[in-house]
Amino acid sequence: MSKSLRLSEKWFRRGLWLVAVIFASFLIGLGSTIVGDLPRVEHRLELDDFIDRAAAEPLRNTIRDANLTEQQATREREQADLKLLTAQQASRAARETFANWLATRRATAQPDQDTELVARTKALDALKVKEDEAQRAVGAQRQIALDAGQSRQRAQQQLAELEKDARTRLDAENRRVELRVFGYRLALTLPLLVIAGWLFVKKRKSTWWPFVWGFIYFALFAFFVELVPYLPSYGGYVRYAVGIVVTVLVGRYAIIALNRYLARQKLAEAQPDTVRRNELSYDTALARLAKSVCPGCERPVDLKNAEIDFCPHCGIGLFDHCHVCEARKSAFAKFCHACGTGAAVPSPQVQPASTT
């Protein structure tokens, strides 16, 4: 149809389409902001909202205390390990010194060194006692850490059972909240889609069509972007069911529209040539002729064939001759392209009065 428009009219229409797009973008921005804030209507739920706090709190305290005890025991054990290592090194060095001294004494066999032998033996015993004490200290700290770890594990297992039950209830409530938020989205977008459908059917060719199309784009965006991705799945049943319903509704409208169009075409083709041509707008006729189709029935016609003056499908006149210069011209042209004379409007024939 753009080929039949004036140059200025083409640019005006492009500007109006730009207005439609800009109007739709602002509506989409506003709608996205509103839809994005809808989840705030619902209270944000957490696991603690569903757990048995009277039973969970002591377990959490036990876990916390066990962690602190285990950490403290680990630090104390590290200190005890260091003391044990020092005691072991001292005891080892003393035993080596005593063994060397004892070998020397046996070689010299001096009885006056018996007193020193007793003293050295007592010193070794004292070092052994310190080593044993350090070893027991390490074992005690390991036992404390082990007891704390086992206590923590028992508390964690009990707490995990409580959290499992709470998480099940939390997931169920989250699904209910999600369904309610989807209901809010549906309550917001479905009326927009209904209004857009009514505007498409009734107002898409009105004077204010840029705003009509802008609103239609906005409604489609709100439905397919802001609503459809948030459809509850339930294993895919809901989405497939919604897809089937939407397809049936759109298909039904398309089938009804096609049947109405075919009925109008048959009715129009049954009317006289002059009436049919007068009912066609000038721009519509030029747009169809530019596509090499008949303006009346929209079937393909070889318009380049100079011998075709009428549509072979519906019989509407496509070409006639200027009543001044006899040049062959389009029957829908308002002026003759050869001489510029206006197209003659055929006057209705007056039927002679019948005589009785």
Side-chain angles (χ1 to χ4, degrees):
M1 185 176 179
S2 61
K3 295 182 179 180
S4 64
L5 298 178
R6 302 176 181 87
L7 182 61
S8 58
E9 189 175 355
K10 290 182 180 179
W11 284 104
F12 272 119
R13 291 184 68 85
R14 292 171 183 172
L16 291 177
W17 277 113
L18 180 61
V19 170
V21 172
I22 295 175
F23 182 61
S25 66
F26 281 115
L27 287 177
I28 289 172
L30 177 61
S32 299
T33 303
I34 295 175
V35 171
D37 289 338
L38 285 179
R40 298 183 179 180
V41 176
E42 296 289 339
H43 173 67
R44 185 176 180 85
L45 301 173
E46 297 179 354
L47 190 64
D48 286 345
D49 295 330
F50 299 90
I51 200 169
D52 186 359
R53 297 186 180 182
E57 196 61 31
L59 294 175
R60 290 172 176 171
N61 293 334
T62 300
I63 294 173
R64 182 172 59 253
D65 295 340
N67 286 330
L68 294 175
T69 302
E70 190 173 7
Q71 293 173 2
Q72 181 66 26
T74 301
R75 289 193 293 267
E76 295 292 338
R77 192 198 65 200
E78 291 174 352
Q79 295 292 332
D81 285 337
L82 182 59
K83 291 179 180 180
L84 175 61
L85 179 61
T86 303
Q88 289 174 341
Q89 290 176 347
S91 179
R92 188 182 304 112
R95 284 195 299 270
E96 292 175 356
T97 303
F98 177 74
N100 293 332
W101 178 85
L102 186 60
T104 303
R105 182 186 178 283
R106 288 174 180 173
T108 58
Q110 296 177 357
D112 58 342
Q113 293 181 342
D114 291 342
T115 304
E116 185 177 357
L117 176 62
V118 174
R120 285 178 177 270
T121 302
K122 290 183 178 179
L124 284 176
D125 292 340
L127 291 174
K128 182 61 177 176
V129 170
K130 289 183 179 180
E131 182 179 350
D132 292 341
E133 291 176 352
Q135 185 68 46
R136 286 194 297 271
V138 171
Q141 296 302 325
R142 286 180 177 174
Q143 185 64 43
I144 293 174
L146 179 61
D147 293 341
Q150 292 177 346
S151 176
R152 186 190 70 249
Q153 289 178 357
R154 288 193 298 270
Q156 286 177 339
Q157 290 175 354
Q158 296 175 6
L159 183 62
E161 292 296 329
L162 294 176
E163 290 180 347
K164 181 180 179 181
D165 179 65
R167 191 171 300 280
T168 301
R169 290 186 289 170
L170 174 62
D171 293 340
E173 183 61 25
N174 282 336
R175 286 192 294 270
R176 288 191 288 269
V177 171
E178 181 182 356
L179 191 59
R180 288 198 296 269
V181 173
F182 173 75
Y184 302 152
R185 294 175 185 268
L186 183 63
L188 179 64
T189 57
L190 190 58
L192 297 178
L193 194 63
V194 172
I195 296 173
W198 180 82
L199 290 175
F200 176 79
V201 174
K202 300 294 184 180
K203 301 293 183 179
R204 69 178 185 271
K205 295 182 180 180
S206 65
T207 304
W208 310 102
W209 64 265
F211 299 107
V212 172
W213 280 104
F215 187 87
I216 291 174
Y217 293 151
F218 158 64
L220 292 175
F221 180 89
F223 181 77
F224 289 104
V225 178
E226 301 293 351
L227 179 66
V228 172
Y230 298 94
L231 278 173
S233 178
Y234 294 107
Y237 290 100
V238 174
R239 296 189 178 184
Y240 288 132
V242 171
I244 291 173
V245 171
V246 173
T247 304
V248 169
L249 293 177
V250 174
R252 179 179 180 276
Y253 173 79
I255 292 172
I256 293 176
L258 176 61
N259 291 333
R260 289 177 179 175
Y261 167 76
L262 294 177
R264 289 196 302 268
Q265 286 297 108
K266 290 181 180 179
L267 183 62
E269 292 175 8
Q271 294 179 350
D273 179 88
T274 305
V275 175
R276 293 168 60 192
R277 190 159 44 246
N278 290 337
E279 289 181 351
L280 285 171
S281 68
Y282 178 70
D283 291 335
T284 301
L286 291 185
R288 294 177 180 177
L289 289 172
K291 298 176 183 178
S292 297
V293 297
C294 170
C297 64
E298 298 186 54
R299 295 185 177 93
V301 179
D302 185 9
L303 299 178
K304 297 181 180 179
N305 190 344
E307 297 180 357
I308 295 180
D309 289 337
F310 295 88
C311 174
H313 306 291
C314 66
I316 193 172
L318 301 177
F319 295 94
D320 57 13
H321 293 80
C322 177
H323 64 280
V324 175
C325 67
E326 295 298 327
R328 184 173 180 268
K329 65 177 185 64
S330 172
F332 298 92
K334 294 183 178 181
F335 297 91
C336 175
H337 64 277
C339 65
T341 303
V345 178
S347 57
Q349 297 180 357
V350 180
Q351 299 292 336
S354 59
T355 58
T356 57

